[in-house]
Amino acid sequence: MLILSGFKPDRILTNKYMLSKRSEKGLILLTVAVAIVLFVYWLLYNPVKDIHASIPGMDNRPKESESSGGKVKIGEGFDFFKELSTDLKGKWVQFRGANSDNISADQTKLINSWGNGPKIDWQVELGEGHAAPVVYNGKVYVLDYDEVKKADALRCFSLETGEELWRRWYRVHIKRNHGISRTVPAINDKYLITIGPRCHVMCTDPNTGDFLWGIDLVKDYMSEIPFWYTGQCPIIVDNIAIIAPGGSSLLMGVDCATGKVVWETPNPDGWKMSHSSVMPMNLNGKKMWVYAAVGGIVGVSAEGDDLGEILWKTKDFAPSVVAPSPIVFGNGKVYMTAGYGAGGILLQVKKSGNKYSVETLQKFKPKDGIASEQQTPILYDGHMFSILPKDAGGLRNRFVCVDPNDSQKILWDSGSEHRFGLGPYVVADGKFFILKDDGTISIAKATSKSFQFLDKAKIMEGHDAWGPLVVVDGRLLMRDDKHMLCIDVRAN
């Protein structure tokens, strides 16, 4: 028989009651705590935080991350294919040629018609884009995008045969957005500068393909990648590469030999990088760089003790999308245009002592004078020529000539039977070569008297043939969105 000393049933009941009360109180406190947490979460939760306004050109773009562009090893890869021996000495050294005017300095006599058809020397396949080449001593250089390797690729070809000689590349993840690569390199005897779609600047030796240095403008200068990726083309002046980051620095000069920044232009207004390129100009006897950023147009000193300093600026022309580049008329006048309804503006830069100022002489609607969506107009023989944008009414997509000194009066247009979309054009041997979106190229006499059409031929079956044209050593280089062609346009 089991005997429990001191056993008291009433005490056990009391303990059970107290435990029950404590458990009930704890459950209530836990419920209250959970309710408070849920309430705070509901109060702070923003169901639309990841919803953003739709911005033209920002669709189909990958998020910035280490895998998509944060840690890019610029110039990491190199592929060599073959050596080249050539006697060709022609040069097309940068966007719009050596004089930034899109007028070929080649003295070769060129064809007036296509005869039995264009003589295509070679054709190569490229990644999707609109990037155009430079040419130097028989070699063609183009910044491409390798869609298999997921890499920006600077490719070097023979001008005579189209054989690829070498390529310098670096991995960077980019999705198509009306093309990928769209810039033109800059080159001289020692240096070759490129700017990739995500603002990666690369300097190489044009003779060997050796990597020299690179700059990530987004990482180092807080540049904002433009809507349709980088469209700005670099220039080289006295072995200094001129770049417009549009972030912490509006413009800067980089020593091609070392990669060191030798001067910077402040960006107090926070203007952003556009698709436009910096243009070298001489205004009122002063060398300067003129740049149309997203935010306004600026003139920056290109010489002297004030090198890199802002000489003048205006916000009178500041569309959100800017692709053409500024044009200097002489007498201190600068013309700028853009598409999407922006029209154009004529500026007057004045000098008083050592100070410069700028005033707006006239603004133009798309139907009033020359406007352009992509290509930069050509100033030739005292007149300006361009393809009008789609918002120019009945004159849309026509090639036109205006008198820049007479309120942009249109002197002639190419007519309804000759429309050219957004395609490029160049002056060579006193003729216009004009490329239509669909790969049809026309020849017309370069004159301000009338549109004197000579001949045309459909050369490519692709589309979006927007890349700038190059004429050098009697060859014409052109491209659509996925191919580059070399055509022999020598008269004989």
Side-chain angles (χ1 to χ4, degrees), residues 259-386:
K260 294 182 178 179
V261 176
V262 294
W263 58 263
E264 294 182 61
T265 302
N267 189 13
D269 300 304
W271 289 358
K272 298 177 182 179
M273 181 190 292
S274 68
H275 296 94
S276 183
S277 298
V278 179
M279 288 288 107
M281 296 186 181
N282 191 314
L283 298 175
N284 300 301
K286 175 75 170 178
K287 291 182 180 180
M288 59 184 74
W289 291 290
V290 179
Y291 178 55
V294 175
I297 305 173
V298 64
V300 173
S301 173
E303 61 181 355
D305 295 336
D306 57 357
L307 175 65
E309 293 183 12
I310 294 176
L311 301 176
W312 55 268
K313 62 182 178 180
T314 178
K315 298 180 181 179
D316 282 0
F317 191 80
S320 59
V321 178
V322 185
S325 298
I327 303 169
V328 59
F329 281 174
N331 299 320
K333 293 180 180 179
V334 176
Y335 183 75
M336 185 63 206
T337 183
Y340 304 99
I345 189 170
L346 181 62
L347 303 173
Q348 177 70 64
V349 177
K350 296 181 178 180
K351 181 180 179 181
S352 178
N354 293 324
K355 299 293 183 181
Y356 291 84
S357 62
V358 60
E359 66 176 272
T360 297
L361 295 180
Q362 195 168 359
K363 288 186 176 182
F364 304 94
K365 296 180 180 179
K367 299 179 183 180
D368 293 341
I370 275 190
S372 180
E373 188 169 318
Q374 286 194 15
Q375 312 297 332
T376 301
I378 292 177
L379 188 65
Y380 176 74
D381 192 27
H383 293 77
M384 192 160 56
F385 303 85
S386 180

Side-chain angles (χ1 to χ4, degrees), residues 82-93:
K82 66 176 301 180
E83 295 283 356
L84 174 68
S85 176
T86 178
D87 295 326
L88 297 181
K89 298 296 181 183
K91 297 173 178 61
W92 189 279
V93 299

Side-chain angles (χ1 to χ4, degrees), residues 11 62 64 68 176 184 237 261 375 449 454 473:
R11 182 175 295 176
E64 295 291 341
S68 67
R176 295 187 186 97
V184 179
V237 179
V261 176
Q375 312 297 332
K449 296 179 179 179
L454 297 175
D473 284 321

Side-chain angles (χ1 to χ4, degrees), residues 82-86 137-139 157-161 163 165:
K82 66 176 301 180
E83 295 283 356
L84 174 68
S85 176
T86 178
N137 295 342
K139 294 180 181 179
F157 300 91
S158 163
L159 177 60
E160 293 176 287
T161 67
E163 294 176 287
L165 307 177

Side-chain angles (χ1 to χ4, degrees), residues 200-212:
H200 297 104
V201 180
M202 181 171 70
C203 181
T204 57
D205 184 321
N207 302 299
T208 64
D210 290 345
F211 172 73
L212 300 178

